[in-house]
Amino acid sequence: PPIDRGELRRVRVQESRKSSTWSKGRIVAALMNEANLPRRLAEEVASRVERRVLDAGLKRITTSLIRELVDNELVALGLASALRRQGLVGVPRHDLRALLTGAGPLAGEPAAAAGREPPEVHVAGEVLRRFVLDEVFDEHVCEAHLDGDLEIHDVGRLHRLAVTCVPAELLASGPPTPAAPFEVLEELGGVARHAAAACVLEDPGALLKPLARGRPGRPGRTGRSEGLASFLRALRAVAHATGTRLDLGSPGPRARGVTAALLSELAALPADPLGPRLFLDGAELDELLGPEGGEGPGGPDERAARDLDRLLAGGRVVPTWGRPEERFAGPGCRRHPRERAAVSCGGAVALNLPRLAWRAGPWREDHFLEALSDLVRLALQALDSLSVFQERSAGARPGALRGRVGYALAPVGLREALKLLGDGEVRPRQGARILGFLCDAARRLGEARRLAVVVSPFFGERAAARFARLDAELPQHAQRLLFAEGVGAGLDPAAPYGHGFGLSPAFDEGLGRAEAALLSTVPTGALAPFPLASSPEALGGWREELGGASPAAVWRRFVAARAAHLEGPLEGGPILADDPAVRAADTPDLFTPAATHTRPA
């Protein structure tokens, strides 16, 4: 029967801020604009929706219900692609009610996630997460992300760059004065609004020098810099206001006094997840420590040494290293010589290495590397899609600094993977081959996609807990429980995986030496997490737990051992970009290790 238009004119459509009369033309226009349907199909779908509204006898209908009716008709007509293009992205009422009342997190989120952010921020992030997974990445990447083979870092904020590193001179508008750092802080806060994870103020030595002069203050504050302390507290306050961590780069070799003052004031700040970190160049750290064997000329006094030890152990001072052609700028960021613009890490993908090791089996490094190569290709595909999405959405960041953007791969569970490959024994040199392979794969596959990709120890902390939770449900874990001495014995399925470049504790040669062997194939990077015998939370007794060796001594040991490893090839052969055994001019994405570890007879 024909549609009664008079009856339809009495139907009211409830919108978000007003109500209006029924309009078939609006449905047709929406289907043509949003779902790219031709007019004939759009009119057919609209007519079928009108028939359903009349048959139901509805006098008032919401726009969300209209969308659901449209979706039903698209499914009935087999228009799946159109349904995907114009589908609604939202949060179920039950989940939203539970989040607002504190009854629980959103569906699929860990229980701790609901308390990290205000409800409105959490809901916005969840909507963006669902949109990005459905709109930006293809089904293979989404499946790998949801299954736990990899994790796209901070999916709910991929419209923002993950990390931005800005030279202090780029934000300073005049000569260094005591007020200049606070003026730069205002500019830095604006930059932080467009960075999801962290913003790093590089080369702050000249800027902070006017604040680093000690002034007599309250009792117990003699020789401390009140101005620098105020700046660091303001830095932390802006970080809490923006939700983005604000860190500092190395002050520079000519600003040793600034570095010493920074360490003193950083140690006075309480530990805070959003507190500022100092990414300190290893050469500057060595100069600050002075000669080995105690206090020497120019070395730190007892109080300064104690402050530095606590900062290293707590991860608030992160030692870094580089090479002449590039230096460490921040998490996922490298800076080239004479490059003064901002550099950013657009995003990162965390890789589940223990799962690859489970599948490969003990003593099967060749199978592990083959699977790792496939996973890196999939991760680079995800980063390529992310790069295109961020380029299209860059217009939504009018205040963001323009500069070079790169991306990062974050290994997760490296120690656990090595333990599985070694049938219970962790071999740092095998880890060096894997890391060298990963760095080379990231660079070569990135160049093929015109992306700058580095391997970073950051971005994997959240993924470490999620990967371990998902892997605990694998059949391999169930089989392991039947054999106490079988593969995986000693791994706690309830504990999160390690993240970054941490291998300790597990070695007889002492803390720092295992990481030195591991990182001999990483030309530019950061020692994160710092090698400790236990978690950094137990700072009160770190001297006893390390057998009397201070974190500064661990760093010295790391530097000496890494230098020794760089002088000679690794057992089994390092996998580096300049190794002719793995370089193929006509196949830039071929990664065949020169030699792999085999089980000894």
Side-chain angles (χ1 to χ4, degrees):
I3 295 177
D4 188 348
R5 293 293 170 186
E7 188 70 20
L8 278 173
R9 280 194 292 271
R10 287 190 285 272
V11 177
R12 301 293 296 178
V13 178
Q14 181 180 337
E15 303 178 38
S16 59
R17 298 182 182 274
K18 65 177 183 177
S19 64
S20 59
T21 58
W22 179 268
S23 172
K24 176 183 178 181
R26 293 178 62 184
I27 299 178
V28 173
L31 287 170
M32 294 176 64
N33 293 330
E34 298 176 18
N36 294 332
L37 284 182
R39 177 176 290 276
R40 180 185 61 81
L41 274 178
E43 289 181 348
E44 180 180 353
V45 172
S47 297
R48 292 168 69 111
V49 170
E50 285 185 328
R51 173 61 61 190
R52 286 187 175 274
V53 171
L54 286 175
D55 291 346
L58 298 175
K59 301 301 181 184
R60 181 174 293 274
I61 187 171
T62 63
T63 54
S64 60
L65 181 54
I66 293 176
R67 279 189 174 272
E68 291 179 9
L69 293 173
V70 169
D71 291 348
N72 288 336
E73 298 305 326
L74 291 175
V75 172
L77 293 173
L79 301 173
S81 59
L83 174 64
R84 183 175 179 271
R85 285 193 295 267
Q86 71 93 43
L88 184 68
V89 180
V91 177
R93 286 175 178 267
H94 175 271
D95 293 350
L96 183 58
R97 190 181 299 113
L99 180 67
L100 291 174
T101 59
L106 295 175
E109 291 292 315
R116 283 199 304 262
E117 300 168 329
E120 64 275 15
V121 175
H122 194 67
V123 171
E126 176 64 14
V127 171
L128 286 170
R129 185 188 71 83
R130 298 182 183 190
F131 168 78
V132 167
L133 285 178
D134 188 57
E135 184 76 12
V136 176
F137 305 107
D138 66 19
E139 58 179 347
H140 300 292
V141 172
C142 289
E143 183 178 358
H145 170 82
L146 296 174
D147 288 347
D149 291 327
L150 53 79
E151 177 166 304
I152 304 164
H153 177 73
D154 216 352
V155 181
R157 297 199 287 181
L158 287 183
H159 59 293
R160 298 163 64 177
L161 301 173
V163 178
T164 297
C165 304
V166 190
E169 64 180 24
L170 194 64
L171 300 180
S173 57
T177 64
F182 297 94
E183 295 172 357
V184 166
L185 186 60
E186 182 178 354
E187 297 290 332
L188 194 64
V191 177
R193 292 176 53 202
H194 305 285
C199 184
V200 182
L201 182 66
E202 296 182 80
D203 304 319
L207 178 70
L208 299 180
K209 190 173 183 179
L211 299 181
R213 301 187 180 97
R215 297 179 180 179
R218 306 188 302 270
R221 294 281 300 179
T222 304
R224 297 281 294 278
S225 171
E226 294 285 355
L228 192 57
S230 299
F231 174 77
L232 291 177
R233 288 193 294 267
L235 202 67
R236 185 180 60 176
V238 173
H240 279 277
T242 60
T244 300
R245 195 166 192 168
L246 301 182
D247 296 321
L248 298 172
S250 278
R254 298 182 180 179
R256 182 176 175 180
V258 175
T259 304
L262 268 176
L263 294 176
S264 176
E265 298 303 333
L266 280 173
L269 287 178
D272 187 334
L274 289 178
R277 295 171 295 188
L278 176 62
F279 295 108
L280 189 58
D281 182 79
E284 296 178 37
L285 178 56
D286 292 339
E287 182 181 355
L288 190 69
L289 290 172
E292 188 173 0
E295 297 180 20
D301 57 24
E302 183 178 353
R303 179 178 178 180
R306 186 167 60 250
D307 289 344
L308 179 57
D309 283 342
R310 291 180 61 85
L311 292 171
L312 286 170
R316 290 191 283 168
V317 167
V318 182
T320 68
W321 65 89
R323 48 184 176 168
E325 56 268 30
E326 68 173 10
R327 64 180 175 89
F328 182 92
C333 300
R334 305 291 184 267
R335 182 172 293 280
H336 303 315
R338 295 191 294 274
E339 184 180 29
R340 303 312 304 163
V343 294
S344 300
C345 176
V349 174
L351 307 178
N352 189 344
L353 300 186
R355 182 173 293 187
L356 299 183
W358 276 115
R359 293 170 178 169
W363 314 105
R364 303 304 299 273
E365 184 181 330
D366 51 344
H367 287 199
F368 176 87
L369 293 177
E370 183 179 355
L372 179 59
S373 178
D374 292 337
L375 187 61
V376 170
R377 286 184 173 89
L378 190 61
L380 266 291
Q381 181 181 336
L383 293 177
D384 195 7
S385 300
L386 174 59
S387 173
V388 173
F389 168 69
Q390 289 180 338
E391 287 178 1
R392 290 176 179 173
S393 60
R397 305 190 299 269
L401 290 174
R402 297 296 184 263
R404 183 171 56 85
V405 179
Y407 296 88
L409 296 180
V412 171
L414 179 59
R415 181 176 181 272
E416 290 78 7
L418 291 175
K419 195 167 187 178
L420 290 168
L421 289 174
D423 200 9
E425 182 179 352
V426 179
R427 294 176 172 82
R429 292 177 177 244
Q430 184 180 46
R433 292 196 297 273
I434 291 173
L435 269 188
F437 179 88
L438 184 57
C439 291
D440 193 38
R443 183 185 65 81
R444 289 174 178 269
L445 286 178
E447 288 176 352
R449 293 179 178 270
R450 297 184 179 181
L451 297 176
V453 183
V454 300
V455 176
S456 172
F458 305 95
F459 309 109
E461 190 170 1
R462 293 184 185 178
R466 177 171 173 262
F467 287 164
R469 186 172 64 251
L470 293 174
D471 286 355
E473 303 171 2
L474 294 177
Q476 293 93 326
H477 276 275
Q479 182 183 13
R480 184 198 59 182
L481 295 177
L482 300 177
F483 304 97
E485 300 301 326
V487 176
L491 292 181
D492 182 4
Y497 290 148
H499 59 91
F501 299 148
L503 290 186
S504 299
F507 309 98
D508 297 332
E509 62 262 36
L511 295 172
R513 292 197 177 99
E515 285 77 10
L518 174 72
L519 294 171
S520 60
T521 52
V522 179
T524 302
L527 187 56
F530 195 84
L532 288 176
S534 64
S535 62
E537 287 79 6
L539 295 182
W542 58 261
R543 283 190 183 274
E544 292 76 14
E545 293 167 5
L546 296 180
S550 70
V554 172
W555 166 252
R556 285 192 176 103
R557 185 186 299 158
F558 169 83
V559 172
R562 185 171 182 270
H565 284 295
L566 290 175
E567 292 178 358
L570 291 175
E571 177 187 355
I575 301 173
L576 297 170
D578 58 354
D579 190 341
V582 297
R583 184 172 61 240
D586 55 341
T587 54
D589 60 342
L590 178 63
F591 305 104
T592 304
T596 56
H597 185 80
T598 57
R599 185 170 186 169

